[in-house]
Amino acid sequence: MQARRVVGAEIVYPFELGEPATWPLAPRLCITRWVDDGLAFDPWPWPLVLENPEGVLVNDVLEGIYANLAEYVLRSEWIAIGEKRREGAWRMRLQRLEEHAKKAREDGESPPQPDNVQRGDLLLENRNFRGRSLAPEGEGWMINFGPPH
């Protein structure tokens, strides 16, 4: 069977992407908190609302998280975060750009143009998806991230 995606070190097969993200099936799922091994964004400044009238699927969650983390951080948001996280996010941005340039060279393509800090850069080294759980007060879900194993 051909894998469609790799999440962390695990392969996610196409049939798994079509599985319900919750049971019972829910047409709406709100992600209100993101935790990256002790450095909680509480609440996450960019809540994520996923909707699927037939029920939110695993693929909907993964696509939503990816799109949310790929958004650029606005200047006002950049100023609002602490200096330590800003320094780390800038370092992760440079690492991300270098990884993309290396892949482009390997594929014989032009390197990507430099861009701004993305929300995913704010997770610093804690980029591995560790699953989801109910937010502490039961309003929405919390997404957990951690460092590579």
Side-chain angles (χ1 to χ4, degrees):
M1 176 173 277
Q2 185 70 27
R4 177 164 175 218
R5 249 188 221 180
V6 175
V7 178
E10 296 181 31
I11 296 174
V12 178
Y13 293 98
F15 72 88
E16 293 174 306
L17 296 171
E19 292 291 319
T22 63
W23 190 258
L25 212 56
R28 189 169 193 264
L29 190 144
C30 299
I31 298 172
T32 58
R33 297 172 188 260
W34 300 56
V35 178
D36 59 336
D37 269 12
L39 296 173
F41 283 102
D42 191 12
W44 180 249
W46 309 283
L48 179 58
V49 177
L50 305 165
E51 294 179 322
N52 182 337
E54 297 174 14
V56 177
L57 305 175
V58 170
N59 191 63
D60 298 325
V61 173
L62 295 176
E63 295 273 338
I65 291 170
Y66 181 83
N68 191 290
L69 293 176
E71 291 285 327
Y72 294 116
V73 176
L74 300 176
R75 183 172 174 75
S76 59
E77 297 165 340
W78 181 250
I79 292 168
I81 63 174
E83 184 176 340
K84 184 175 181 179
R85 192 170 288 266
R86 275 198 307 266
E87 290 172 2
W90 190 258
R91 192 175 57 253
M92 294 310 297
R93 171 196 171 268
L94 296 174
Q95 180 179 327
R96 174 175 50 81
L97 291 173
E98 179 54 38
E99 288 170 2
H100 289 194
K102 180 181 176 187
K103 182 169 181 353
R105 284 190 301 273
E106 290 170 357
D107 295 344
E109 300 173 1
S110 299
Q113 294 297 314
D115 63 7
N116 293 321
V117 173
Q118 295 177 340
R119 294 173 182 173
D121 297 327
L122 297 174
L123 294 173
L124 309 180
E125 289 82 15
N126 298 314
R127 296 171 167 253
N128 283 26
F129 179 69
R130 296 267 174 93
R132 60 162 176 75
S133 55
L134 282 174
E137 59 285 323
E139 293 184 20
W141 293 88
M142 183 167 61
I143 298 296
N144 302 287
F145 291 90
H149 292 33

